[in-house]
Amino acid sequence: MLAPLARRLRDPITWTNLAQLLKTAFAVVLAWLLAVRVFVIAQPFLAPWAALLTFHATVAGTARRGAQQAAAAVLGVLFAFGAGQLFGVGELALGAAVLLGLAAGATPALRTETTTAAATAIVVLTTGSSQNGTMLWARLADTAIGIAVGLLVNLLVWPPLRDRSVARQINLVCTRLGALLCDVAGDLCRGDETAGPQQWVTRSDGLEDDLDAAWRYLAEARESGRLNPRRAAPRRMRAAEDDFRPALDALAQAVAETRSMARTIALAHTPPAAWDETFRDPWRALVARAGAAVRDGDGDGLRTARLDLQRFAGELPVPALAAGFWPVAGALLVGLRNILEALEGVTDARPDDPPAWRPQFSGRPGSSTTADSANTAWISSRPPSART
C-alpha cells in the first residue's frame, strides 16, 4: 500500500497537476479580492468566474482562452445591452441575447467558448445590468480582471511543462503492448486459438486509443513551451519533439503489426494447435521474449530477439511446411520482425526513478543515445508487477 503512494509522491506529474489545482484556486480568490477591495466593483461575480474559465494546463492555452473568453464576454454584454434596449428586460430579450450568444459561440474563432457569450448575456440581463451603463462597464471590468489574473498566475507561478505526460503515456503503451504480446504467446501455448485472436484485436484497438492520447499530450507539451519563461522550456520542448514523435511513430507501427498478426492467426485455415512444431514453438517463444522486453524496457533483449528471429527464419525448413501454411508463417515472421525493429529504440531505457529529464530515444534500430549526466532515460520506472 505504501509503495504506490511513495511512487506517486515522487512523481513530478503528480506535483505538476497538484500545483495547477492550487494555482487555479489561488487565481479565483485573487481575482475576487482585487475586484472587491482594489477596484471596488459592485457584485464582481464575473471576476472569479473568468479566472476559473481562463485557467488552462499551459500558459499559451491560458492566453488563447483568455482572449477568446474576453471576446465572448464583450459580445455577451453587448448582446444583452442591445436586447435589453430593444425589448426591455423580459423573455424576448433573454431569448434574443442567448440566441445571438450561441450563434457567436458556433463561429470558429470562439468554438472553444461555445456558451460563454450566451451565459454572460444571461447574467447581465437577469441581474438588471443591461439597463445600467455603469453596471455594464463593471461587468466588462471584472471579466478583464479575472482573465488577467488567470494569465499572470499561470505565467509567473511555476508555469507548467507537459513533456513528462507524454513520456508517461508512452511508458503505458509500452507496458500494455508488451503484456499483449506475452498473452499472445501464452494463449498459443495453452492452445487458445478461438477467443484469443479476437481478444488480441480488441486490445490492440485499445492501444490505438492510448496512442491517440499520447499524440494529444505531445501537442499539449509543444504548446506548454510557448510563452513559458522557464529556462528549460526551449531545450525540453525540442527534445520532446525530436524524441517523442519518432517513438510514437514506432509504437504506432508496432501496434498495427500486432493487430495484423492477430488477424493473420484468426483468418488462417490452420489453427495454431495444428501448426508445424518446428515453426510454432520457436516463434511463440520469440513473441514471449519480445513482449517481456517491451514491457520491461529492455532494448538489448529486443535486439537479441531480432537476431535470433533472423537466424530462425534463415534456418526454417520452408519446404517442410504445409503448402497452405507457409504464407501464414511468412506473414507472422515479417510482422514480428517489424515489431522488434520498430521498438528497439523505444525500449532503450533505464528503469530509474521518475525522470527530471531530457527524453531519450534511439531513432534507428540498433543505435542508442546516451543522456548527459544531468538526465535519466525517458521511460519512467516500471512498477514492480511489470518487471516480474
Side-chain angles (χ1 to χ4, degrees):
M1 176 183 289
L2 295 179
L5 177 60
R7 245 192 333 267
R8 290 186 65 85
L9 291 177
R10 292 196 307 268
D11 186 357
I13 301 178
T14 298
W15 291 107
T16 298
N17 293 337
L18 177 61
Q20 286 297 102
L21 294 177
L22 295 175
K23 286 165 57 179
T24 302
F26 174 71
V28 169
V29 174
L30 180 60
W32 170 265
L33 290 175
L34 287 175
V36 171
R37 300 186 180 180
V38 177
F39 295 95
V40 196
I41 297 175
Q43 299 179 341
F45 43 82
L46 289 183
W49 184 49
L52 177 65
L53 294 183
T54 300
F55 223 83
H56 190 261
T58 67
V59 175
T62 301
R64 184 180 63 253
R65 289 184 62 175
Q68 292 173 343
Q69 191 191 1
V74 170
L75 288 175
V77 170
L78 293 178
F79 292 154
F81 178 76
Q85 294 298 315
L86 288 175
F87 307 113
V89 180
E91 299 84 351
L92 188 58
L94 183 62
V98 169
L99 180 62
L100 290 173
L102 293 175
T107 60
L110 299 178
R111 191 159 291 165
T112 58
E113 301 288 337
T114 53
T115 60
T116 300
T120 303
I122 291 173
V123 170
V124 171
L125 276 170
T126 55
T127 57
S129 301
S130 62
Q131 303 295 316
N132 188 327
T134 302
M135 290 296 292
L136 283 176
W137 283 111
R139 296 289 74 80
L140 292 176
D142 59 2
T143 299
I145 291 170
I147 293 171
V149 168
L151 177 59
L152 289 175
V153 169
N154 209 17
L155 177 66
L156 300 177
V157 183
W158 198 5
L161 291 172
R162 294 292 177 174
D163 50 341
R164 291 188 177 96
S165 298
V166 192
R168 172 190 276 180
Q169 189 68 12
I170 291 175
N171 183 74
L172 175 67
V173 175
C174 286
T175 300
R176 290 180 176 174
L177 177 58
L180 174 56
L181 291 172
C182 289
D183 288 346
V184 169
D187 290 344
L188 291 176
C189 184
R190 292 187 294 270
D192 185 2
E193 67 268 8
T194 53
Q198 185 53 51
Q199 292 176 355
W200 304 336
V201 171
T202 301
R203 288 173 63 181
S204 68
D205 291 339
L207 287 172
E208 290 283 0
D209 295 336
D210 293 334
L211 281 172
D212 290 341
W215 283 110
R216 291 195 297 272
Y217 291 152
L218 180 58
E220 189 175 88
R222 188 185 306 115
E223 183 180 83
S224 70
R226 299 172 186 157
L227 304 180
N228 197 308
R230 292 167 65 173
R231 288 184 181 179
R235 175 180 58 83
R236 283 176 55 173
M237 292 310 103
R238 284 195 301 270
E241 187 67 23
D242 294 343
D243 297 339
F244 290 152
R245 180 176 291 277
L248 289 174
D249 287 337
L251 280 170
Q253 179 184 351
V255 170
E257 296 287 353
T258 302
R259 183 188 298 107
S260 177
M261 289 197 309
R263 287 175 174 165
T264 297
I265 295 172
L267 297 175
H269 296 296
T270 305
W275 290 0
D276 191 310
E277 292 183 359
T278 60
F279 173 83
R280 183 188 60 206
D281 294 341
W283 184 83
R284 185 182 63 206
L286 286 167
V287 172
R289 287 170 56 189
V294 173
R295 180 194 62 201
D296 300 335
D298 183 5
D300 290 336
L302 277 183
R303 278 186 283 277
T304 302
R306 179 170 60 87
L307 293 175
D308 290 344
L309 176 66
Q310 290 176 346
R311 187 179 304 110
F312 168 61
E315 298 172 353
L316 184 66
V318 177
L321 299 178
F325 178 67
W326 71 262
V328 175
L332 295 178
L333 288 171
V334 171
L336 183 55
R337 180 205 65 186
N338 292 342
I339 292 172
L340 292 169
E341 291 190 350
L343 293 183
E344 280 183 26
V346 180
T347 53
D348 276 334
R350 298 190 298 275
D352 297 326
D353 288 335
W357 25 255
R358 174 194 186 280
Q360 176 174 316
F361 175 71
S362 170
R364 60 183 185 277
S367 66
S368 62
T369 302
T370 302
D372 58 45
S373 59
N375 301 310
T376 63
W378 61 260
I379 297 225
S380 59
S381 65
R382 308 288 185 184
S385 60
R387 296 197 292 271
T388 56

